[in-house]
């Protein structure tokens, strides 16, 4: 399953993505793709959400892949040293 994020992924919007990921996980999907290509901005709240989901998914045998976002979004992963934590798809 794939979920696409658009606009900003920040403190005001992470709850929406979290709810959608919870819904997909409850449906027993073993691979969830989070598409960040439609984002204009992501802050530490968005990064924290993705890190938490990646950690809990790995623990439960679920794979979460990310579709790389634009350079401004990818910079968050690079600056924080978390790019290597995630599996990125370049689509």
């Amino acid at each position: 399953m794939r979920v696409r994020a658009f606009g900003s992924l920040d403190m005001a919007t992470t709850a929406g993505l979290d709810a959608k990921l919870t819904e997909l996980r409850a449906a027993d999907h073993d691979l969830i793709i989070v598409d960040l290509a439609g984002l204009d901005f992501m802050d530490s709240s968005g990064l924290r959400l993705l890190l938490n989901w990646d950690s809990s998914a790995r623990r439960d045998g679920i794979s979460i892949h990310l579709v790389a976002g634009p350079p401004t979004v990818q910079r968050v992963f690079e600056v924080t040293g978390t790019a290597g934590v995630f599996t990125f798809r370049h689509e």
Side-chain angles (χ1 to χ4, degrees):
M1 283 310 282
R2 178 185 296 246
V3 61
R4 291 188 171 139
F6 293 96
S8 296
L9 185 55
D10 56 21
M11 191 183 312
T13 61
T14 54
L17 181 56
D18 187 48
K20 187 60 178 177
L21 291 170
T22 299
E23 179 184 315
L24 293 175
R25 188 174 190 174
D28 289 329
H29 294 289
D30 59 354
L31 171 62
I32 299 172
I33 301 168
V34 181
D35 189 337
L36 305 176
L39 289 179
D40 300 319
F41 175 78
M42 184 175 78
D43 71 3
S44 61
S45 301
L47 178 60
R48 184 172 39 254
L49 173 75
L50 294 172
L51 285 168
N52 288 341
W53 268 98
D54 183 72
S55 176
S56 67
R58 286 176 195 255
R59 183 181 62 241
D60 297 337
I62 299 168
S63 295
I64 294 191
H65 293 184
L66 305 179
V67 174
T72 55
V73 171
Q74 290 306 114
R75 179 113 172 99
V76 173
F77 296 104
E78 293 163 10
V79 167
T80 59
T82 58
V85 171
F86 298 99
T87 300
F88 281 96
R89 295 172 167 233
H90 299 277
E91 299 178 359

